[in-house]
Amino acid sequence: MRVMVLVKATEDSEKGFLPTTETTEMMEAMGRFNEELRKAGVLLNTDGLKPSSQGKRIAFNGPGRMVIDGPFAETKELVAGFWLWEVKDMDEAVAWVKRCPNPMPGPSEIEIRPLYEMADLG
């Protein structure tokens, strides 16, 4: 099963990447974790997202479209990065996330969401 693993944004991630000793150590730990995922054949893709201040949203209402410039207000509703994994089941995904280094300097959350497969849509 494929899952998207979402690193939720925090006030720190919305400030953008600041190279400090702490963030450098976090990135090195995350690099080692990503290498474990690669070696296990779990990792399909991963990346971090720039702060929402550099993003845009497009709101749809029937045929109308409205562009909304970032930053976006509710940090807890934003995503700072993601992985795309191939795992046997949700339990395996949870086990990997529990091994993950904290992706943020302070408290943080990671969300796991299964992707639709063609068989789900039949």
Side-chain angles (χ1 to χ4, degrees), residues 20-49:
T20 65
T21 302
E22 184 180 22
T23 58
T24 300
E25 289 172 358
M26 282 178 13
M27 297 307 284
E28 289 171 355
M30 197 59 72
R32 290 188 297 274
F33 179 68
N34 286 338
E35 187 57 30
E36 286 183 56
L37 292 166
R38 267 188 211 91
K39 286 180 180 177
V42 170
L43 182 63
L44 300 176
N45 198 357
T46 185
D47 228 324
L49 301 173

Side-chain angles (χ1 to χ4, degrees), residues 35-70:
E35 187 57 30
E36 286 183 56
L37 292 166
R38 267 188 211 91
K39 286 180 180 177
V42 170
L43 182 63
L44 300 176
N45 198 357
T46 185
D47 228 324
L49 301 173
K50 291 187 177 184
S52 71
S53 60
Q54 297 182 39
K56 297 191 182 292
R57 287 182 177 166
I58 293 49
F60 291 73
N61 187 358
R65 308 291 185 265
M66 182 174 71
V67 177
I68 304 160
D69 294 325

Side-chain angles (χ1 to χ4, degrees), residues 10-23:
T10 65
E11 287 183 22
D12 287 321
S13 69
E14 281 295 288
K15 291 176 188 170
F17 180 75
L18 304 172
T20 65
T21 302
E22 184 180 22
T23 58

Side-chain angles (χ1 to χ4, degrees), residues 61-81:
N61 187 358
R65 308 291 185 265
M66 182 174 71
V67 177
I68 304 160
D69 294 325
F72 308 121
E74 290 294 324
T75 301
K76 66 180 180 155
E77 300 299 327
L78 300 176
V79 174

Side-chain angles (χ1 to χ4, degrees), residues 90-119:
M90 189 60 84
D91 290 338
E92 182 183 6
V94 168
W96 276 106
V97 171
K98 285 181 169 183
R99 293 177 54 190
C100 181
N102 188 347
M104 299 292 167
S108 65
E109 273 187 19
I110 293 179
E111 179 178 336
I112 306 168
R113 301 273 301 274
L115 275 67
Y116 278 107
E117 302 293 349
M118 289 306 293

